Amino acid sequence: MDKNPSTLPLPEHGRAAVQSQLVAGESVLSWLELDLDTRLHFARTLLVLTDQRLLSKEASGAWHVWPLTGELSLQNFDHAGVGTLELLDSRTRLTHWRYTLEFDPAVRDFITGFTHQLAGTRPVAEPTVCPTCGETIPAGIKVCPDCAPEEDNERNGWALLRLARFARPYRGRLLLGFLLTLTATAATLVPPYLTMPLMDEVLIPYQNGHPIDFHKAWLYLSGLLAAGLVAWILGWARTYLLALVSENIGADLRTTTYNHLLRLSLEYFGGKRTGDLVARIGSETDRINVFLSLHLLDFATDVLMIVMTAAILFSINPWLALVTLLPLPFIAWLIHKVRDKLRHGFEKTDRIWAEITNVLTDTIPGVRVVKAFAQEEREVARFRDANQRNLAVNNRVNRIWSLFSPSVTLLTEIGLLIVWAFGIWQVSRNEITVGVLAAFLAYISRFYTRLDSMSRIVSVTQKAAAGAKRIFDILDHVSSVPDAAHPVHLEQVRGQIELRRVGFRYGNRAVTKDVSLTIQPGEMIGLVGHSGSGKSTLVNLMCRFYDVSAGAILLDGVDIRALSVDEYRSNIGLVLQEPFLFFGTIADNIAYGKPNASRAEIIAAARAAHAHEFILRLPHGYDSLVGERGQSLSGGERQRISIARALLINPRILILDEATSSVDTTTEREIQGALDNLIQGRTTIAIAHRLSTLRKADRLVVMDRGEIVEVGDHDSLMAQEGHYYRLYQAQLRNVDTEDFLDRRTHG
Amino acid sequence: MADFTLARDSYGKLTLTDATGVEHRGISPVRAFPIADPEHGIALMSAEGHELVWIERLGDLPDEMRILLEDEIAGREFMPSITALRDVSSFSTPTVWQVETDRGPASFTLKSEDSIRRLGQDALLIADSHSIHYLIRDTRALDRHSRKLLDRFL
Ligand SMILES: Nc1ncnc2c1ncn2[C@@H]1O[C@H](COP(=O)(O)OP(=O)(O)OP(=O)(O)O)[C@@H](O)[C@H]1O
Ligand SMILES: [Mg+2]
């Protein structure tokens, strides 16, 4: 079977229909099946390209045919997740088709094939790089042969069982713990066994007029004491050992999850709420932890105990044992009934818990806005609502649960009753002695308490399972900027960046289209354009925060997807539009990208960023703590710290996204002077709204609505009187066009 | 009364002639509140993305223009409304949903539960793996089976 269906001459289900339409000698070149009709209803439309005609079969079954002539052309565009494919001649649109974005790559391939057929050329297929493993994919194949998607069965397995992967390193200790549990449990089962001879050989004979055999009594009693002591020591050892192991497993789980989370792309974080992630990594790992260290241990002990007890009971008297086990199937049935309900309930509580955390992580960082607009009441109401929902869901869970537990207790009580009755009956028929009955009762009272506590674990298990599922949600997520499996290593980075027909969309929103640009090593590029024209997006792509949706970005001629992400980024110094400072000292913040930097290096970087003086004016100098989100510093100060941070790692490539937007003109000039020196010899991409800051740029690249519209130096762009000219003129008048319009409409 | 005229050219694009007689080709009507209030507030945007005309209520326009605009909006907006859930491939994401919509039966992949967004009390907006948004106007109006399936994801 061919791996790639679109290279097949025709889809299975349309083959006969298409063949009936073909004329003699006509051969099918390619086909395309789209999923919407022109009214945007889900329906299959088939397009077929032959060497002579373009055919289309509507959902109604009607065929349309266009003979291929030179003036036909196909073009596509999309909006809000729906694409349009148009067939045009030189004067009009002949027809159009609609599709969801899922079909976008196929549509583009089809258009390429169509264009080449009209022009009489052959498509040149460019090899691409697999986004997952970094291997070059041979031209014409869409799925990387090295990592064709595997059916992932494990994912659907029971989430808790998947935790076993984290237990593997502790195998030895777990085995020891299990053996300890086994012996400890066995030791606790000795005392009831000794009640049998105590009864039958000491007490009953006494009642029947024989004197008490003190020797025997002492023997059995010391046996009881010994068993108790052994059980105590073994129990202590195994509890400690296993609790230690499970804490370790829990800690591993938490670190692994966090590690995985931080390696996910910005796209993932863009779609997640902070509170949700905090809840997952914080409280849910903890819940699993508690489950492993307390409940699972108890459960294991209980199961062992029950099995052993059952074995002993059967060895003493099979009939009585059978009666004792009577409630078991009922309890199993109850557990089965209640388990799924509980888990859904707990999944719901988890989600709502995340929502409560979300409210907190929303409002606490935004507390200034909340206060400024006096919306405390409203935020409290939001919190109360979430809390109320939590109550409601918990209430549902509790309703089920509150019925479950007493039901189990009732069943065991009835069980006890039956054993009494059956036992008395058997004693009366002299089938068993009173001692046996007493031992039985001693055993089963334990047995049933165990059963009771074991059934309780259903709740915690389901809780942990719900938590584990949400943890594995994170762990199963594959980064959308995956590290190459066999990364190419660049010995010496020169710093040449090439954008090759780069297209990108955030979700269904196309932001950049067909951007091509080559930046030479050491060149400084000024990126200008209106707000929202896609400048930061381009920077995000160059930093590989996101992967391109079409085209490629190459560093020194190598696709950046083939490089290791860490190695690639270590070559980039980035100053962001919104500088972020971590909680810690100023020195720590400057040295963030190079934690082992010497103090001298830190100071040099701070001096270069013109941050040195203001830092010295702070009460603790470089040791001053900057608060969460760096609130104790002004916007411009924060920005200078982040410039110092970028400079310290001495990168080959420097990216400045509005690096000087929130400083006054004097400071800006100072920083500019420092930057001018640092730019020397580095590939630099600088974004600035104040066009004057880009006077040193070798080339200016003007962006407009996601496309590069002009490239050149200041003078030539001014001479063109195009986009740049207008931007520049608007700034001379000292008003941004949008501001200007605003002012005009608001009086 | 409208001080502009609309026409569709041979490329299927809308052309607007404003009060001063200037022609704008390839304009697009955009609803300001496509979900909350689809009937009010419609802007006609130029191909460059600037607002040309603001229409308070579609119903105020002459029929001919209204139909043109409604047609165009219908061709731009794609938010199938889910009327029933037939089946889901699994209760843990990613999962494939088979649904009935007002635009016919469809199936899509739900990447994670976070793709389901609440809109007010009973409405839901569900984004599939290709960022197509499906709307459930009123969860209470769904049949029992659908509600049961849906409940597992909320
Ligand atoms: N994470 C995102 N998800 C969806 N759309 C986004 C995202 N980030 C940016 N956009 C959109 O992409 C477009 C380009 O944004 P970008 O941040 O690149 O603009 P910019 O040129 O840097 O603007 P500015 O000068 O204001 O910083 C904008 O329309 C923006 O709304
Ligand atoms: Mg920006």
Side-chain angles (χ1 to χ4, degrees):
Chain A
M1 233 243 45
D2 195 323
K3 267 192 187 157
N4 179 4
S6 72
T7 61
L8 286 176
L10 281 173
E12 199 81 37
H13 52 274
R15 193 167 291 165
V18 174
Q19 254 144 18
S20 70
Q21 293 291 318
L22 297 182
V23 296
E26 189 174 19
S27 64
V28 174
L29 298 176
S30 65
W31 60 273
L32 174 68
E33 195 170 39
L34 300 176
D35 59 341
L36 296 176
D37 64 14
T38 44
R39 294 174 312 142
L40 296 185
H41 283 231
F42 291 101
R44 296 273 159 184
T45 313
L46 182 66
L47 270 72
V48 179
L49 177 68
T50 71
D51 53 352
Q52 298 164 26
R53 301 183 297 170
L54 177 70
L55 301 94
S56 94
K57 177 173 175 278
E58 308 301 327
S60 61
W63 283 91
H64 298 281
V65 176
W66 297 268
L68 298 185
T69 59
E71 63 179 13
L72 287 185
S73 68
L74 277 178
Q75 72 180 39
N76 72 324
F77 55 90
D78 65 78
H79 172 79
V82 185
T84 307
L85 174 65
E86 294 183 326
L87 179 68
L88 311 161
D89 67 12
S90 53
R91 289 171 312 278
T92 62
R93 179 172 80 170
L94 297 171
T95 188
H96 68 285
W97 300 274
R98 311 298 301 267
Y99 56 91
T100 61
L101 279 187
E102 189 181 344
F103 293 80
D104 201 50
V107 168
R108 274 182 293 172
D109 283 355
F110 189 78
I111 296 178
T112 315
F114 179 83
T115 318
H116 280 288
Q117 178 60 23
L118 280 190
T121 50
R122 304 215 121 263
V124 276
E126 283 181 25
T128 46
V129 171
C130 169
T132 319
C133 66
E135 295 289 335
T136 309
I137 306 174
I141 296 184
K142 289 205 187 68
V143 182
C144 173
D146 283 341
C147 45
E150 298 164 25
E151 211 37 63
D152 195 2
N153 287 330
E154 205 195 5
R155 168 169 305 201
N156 296 328
W158 199 39
L160 276 178
L161 286 183
R162 296 180 57 192
L163 289 173
R165 157 181 150 202
F166 291 92
R168 207 162 297 141
Y170 303 99
R171 259 179 316 214
R173 267 173 281 176
L174 278 174
L175 187 66
L176 182 63
F178 179 73
L179 290 179
L180 280 174
T181 311
L182 208 62
T183 42
T185 314
T188 55
L189 287 177
V190 172
Y193 202 86
L194 292 180
T195 51
M196 222 169 8
L198 261 178
M199 236 1 139
D200 289 341
E201 294 170 28
V202 181
L203 289 179
I204 306 273
Y206 172 73
Q207 233 176 19
N208 295 343
H210 300 272
I212 284 190
D213 184 342
F214 281 102
H215 175 68
K216 263 191 182 162
W218 273 116
L219 196 69
Y220 291 134
L221 286 180
S222 41
L224 275 178
L225 183 67
L229 284 176
V230 170
W232 174 65
I233 291 186
L234 289 178
W236 169 72
R238 78 127 203 193
T239 309
Y240 177 71
L241 181 76
L242 288 180
L244 193 69
V245 170
S246 30
E247 286 293 338
N248 271 314
I249 294 177
D252 287 354
L253 175 69
R254 194 174 299 146
T255 317
T256 310
T257 315
Y258 183 61
N259 182 19
H260 187 83
L261 178 73
L262 277 196
R263 278 162 209 287
L264 290 175
S265 74
L266 282 187
E267 187 187 344
Y268 183 80
F269 288 94
K272 289 282 174 201
R273 309 271 308 265
T274 314
D276 181 45
L277 294 177
V278 170
R280 285 186 197 204
I281 296 196
S283 55
E284 266 145 48
T285 51
D286 192 56
R287 192 180 305 148
I288 292 174
N289 216 342
V290 170
F291 166 74
L292 289 178
S293 62
L294 291 179
H295 303 294
L296 192 59
L297 198 59
D298 284 348
F299 182 71
T301 320
D302 292 345
V303 171
L304 275 178
M305 179 82 102
I306 286 176
V307 171
M308 285 184 185
T309 316
I312 295 172
L313 292 183
F314 269 100
S315 74
I316 303 176
N317 184 306
W319 278 112
L320 198 52
L322 214 57
V323 171
T324 316
L325 299 183
L326 216 54
L328 261 186
F330 289 102
I331 293 178
W333 175 80
L334 256 183
I335 291 178
H336 172 75
K337 274 277 144 193
V338 101
R339 196 186 55 197
D340 278 349
K341 279 214 170 90
L342 279 180
R343 190 172 65 237
H344 308 157
F346 288 133
E347 279 172 13
K348 265 189 202 306
T349 22
D350 282 354
R351 272 179 232 146
I352 287 166
W353 187 246
E355 203 171 306
I356 293 180
T357 329
N358 272 333
V359 176
L360 292 179
T361 51
D362 262 6
T363 43
I364 293 174
V367 71
R368 283 221 288 198
V369 182
V370 176
K371 285 188 179 299
F373 289 88
Q375 292 298 316
E376 288 95 335
E377 282 296 331
R378 197 265 261 329
E379 294 301 339
V380 171
R382 203 152 73 97
F383 189 78
R384 195 184 300 123
D385 281 354
N387 231 344
Q388 216 62 41
R389 267 228 291 283
N390 185 21
L391 270 183
V393 173
N394 265 320
N395 191 19
R396 263 168 58 190
V397 174
N398 289 341
R399 249 200 324 254
I400 302 169
W401 189 238
S402 57
L403 191 63
F404 177 74
S405 242
S407 306
V408 172
T409 314
L410 179 67
L411 281 174
T412 54
E413 296 287 346
I414 294 177
L416 209 60
L417 203 78
I418 296 177
V419 172
W420 267 108
F422 192 74
I424 292 172
W425 181 71
Q426 276 195 316
V427 170
S428 74
R429 297 183 41 173
N430 281 329
E431 285 172 9
I432 56 171
T433 61
V434 176
V436 169
L437 181 59
F440 249 87
L441 290 170
Y443 270 121
I444 59 172
S445 65
R446 286 179 184 225
F447 183 79
Y448 283 156
T449 16
R450 289 301 175 161
L451 217 53
D452 209 34
S453 83
M454 198 173 94
S455 62
R456 253 171 245 286
I457 202 186
V458 178
S459 149
V460 273
T461 311
Q462 295 315 319
K463 231 177 199 163
K469 185 182 153 209
R470 282 158 59 81
I471 298 279
F472 280 105
D473 253 8
I474 298 182
L475 284 174
D476 286 340
H477 202 96
V478 185
S479 174
S480 58
V481 289
D483 229 332
H486 310 287
V488 179
H489 176 66
L490 286 179
E491 222 32 78
Q492 174 79 50
V493 175
R494 286 180 298 126
Q496 189 214 44
I497 300 174
E498 184 186 345
L499 307 179
R500 200 181 273 171
R501 305 200 58 188
V502 168
F504 180 69
R505 45 175 100 239
Y506 289 110
N508 63 16
R509 199 166 149 208
V511 178
T512 57
K513 307 177 267 288
D514 244 353
V515 172
S516 294
L517 180 70
T518 306
I519 306 171
Q520 295 309 328
E523 191 180 22
M524 177 178 177
I525 293 287
L527 212 51
V528 300
H530 281 295
S531 181
S533 55
K535 305 181 296 290
S536 299
T537 304
L538 220 50
V539 165
N540 284 341
L541 293 175
M542 286 193 219
C543 294
R544 216 179 157 211
F545 291 150
Y546 298 86
D547 268 343
V548 294
S549 339
I553 298 180
L554 299 93
L555 174 69
D556 293 347
V558 181
D559 194 312
I560 58 173
R561 282 170 293 190
L563 301 170
S564 118
V565 179
D566 289 351
E567 191 188 305
Y568 173 65
R569 292 216 187 107
S570 68
N571 289 306
I572 299 178
L574 177 65
V575 181
L576 282 178
Q577 205 163 0
E578 306 97 16
F580 185 89
L581 301 188
F582 292 96
F583 185 81
T585 68
I586 290 198
D588 291 344
N589 265 293
I590 294 179
Y592 189 73
K594 191 180 173 188
N596 55 356
S598 71
R599 301 218 167 85
E601 283 178 288
I602 292 176
I603 292 175
R607 271 188 209 279
H610 286 248
H612 184 62
E613 286 178 0
F614 92 75
I615 293 172
L616 291 183
R617 282 198 293 272
L618 294 172
H620 298 288
Y622 281 86
D623 288 331
S624 309
L625 280 180
V626 281
E628 258 179 276
R629 289 175 291 281
Q631 265 164 350
S632 57
L633 294 182
S634 78
E637 287 166 344
R638 256 182 286 162
Q639 208 150 33
R640 278 179 275 169
I641 302 249
S642 74
I643 293 175
R645 186 191 283 163
L647 295 179
L648 184 65
I649 61 170
N650 188 22
R652 287 304 309 150
I653 299 163
L654 197 60
I655 297 180
L656 309 167
D657 190 349
E658 306 272 0
T660 55
S661 62
S662 47
V663 294
D664 61 275
T665 0
T666 344
T667 320
E668 181 187 338
R669 207 160 299 143
E670 286 177 17
I671 298 176
Q672 201 61 45
L675 283 180
D676 286 351
N677 295 330
L678 281 147
I679 284 162
Q680 297 297 331
R682 293 175 219 273
T683 309
T684 308
I685 295 138
I687 300 179
H689 274 151
R690 264 183 250 161
L691 301 178
S692 54
T693 50
L694 296 176
R695 66 196 147 73
K696 280 275 161 118
D698 299 303
R699 277 192 297 165
L700 292 167
V701 174
V702 187
M703 306 235 359
D704 187 42
R705 280 179 294 145
E707 281 170 290
I708 293 185
V709 285
E710 287 168 7
V711 181
D713 60 14
H714 174 80
D715 296 331
S716 68
L717 290 180
M718 285 305 279
Q720 275 184 28
E721 302 208 353
H723 281 88
Y724 182 78
Y725 176 81
R726 284 198 293 278
L727 276 175
Y728 193 82
Q729 290 296 325
Q731 270 193 16
L732 274 192
R733 288 198 306 273
N734 217 359
V735 277
D736 204 348
T737 31
E738 289 223 329
D739 285 354
F740 179 64
L741 286 176
D742 276 352
R743 234 164 278 170
R744 211 174 42 176
T745 43
H746 297 302
Chain B
M1 223 20 259
D3 52 358
F4 58 91
T5 56
L6 282 172
R8 198 181 280 283
D9 70 8
S10 63
Y11 287 97
K13 304 250 185 277
L14 282 183
T15 302
L16 172 127
T17 315
D18 67 16
T20 56
V22 181
E23 271 200 9
H24 301 271
R25 308 197 48 199
I27 63 134
S28 42
V30 179
R31 282 185 166 138
F33 299 97
I35 300 161
D37 188 5
E39 290 312 312
H40 293 92
I42 287 155
L44 302 186
M45 310 286 285
S46 72
E48 291 78 39
H50 293 294
E51 179 183 346
L52 301 170
V53 174
W54 175 258
I55 301 166
E56 204 59 55
R57 224 164 62 97
L58 209 49
D60 292 345
L61 290 178
D63 279 353
E64 194 187 325
M65 285 213 272
R66 202 196 67 230
I67 290 166
L68 263 182
L69 287 182
E70 276 172 353
D71 266 4
E72 185 70 17
I73 291 174
R76 277 172 63 83
E77 282 187 352
F78 185 65
M79 201 187 294
S81 205
I82 295 179
T83 51
L85 272 74
R86 288 276 164 266
D87 199 12
V88 299
S89 67
S90 93
F91 289 118
S92 61
T93 52
T95 160
V96 180
W97 288 25
Q98 313 279 348
V99 296
E100 292 295 328
T101 73
D102 58 345
R103 295 170 190 265
S107 79
F108 61 84
T109 307
L110 182 76
K111 268 210 296 208
S112 92
E113 283 134 8
D114 308 312
S115 312
I116 305 180
R117 213 176 87 202
R118 253 174 208 291
L119 303 170
Q121 268 296 322
D122 296 302
L124 295 176
L125 193 63
I126 302 170
D128 78 353
S129 55
H130 295 276
S131 306
I132 291 186
H133 290 87
Y134 292 81
L135 186 69
I136 299 183
R137 286 196 188 279
D138 187 357
T139 46
R140 289 170 312 172
L142 296 177
D143 58 274
R144 260 184 71 84
H145 177 68
S146 307
R147 275 210 310 270
K148 223 165 134 187
L149 290 180
L150 186 65
D151 193 52
R152 296 288 300 266
F153 295 90
L154 296 180

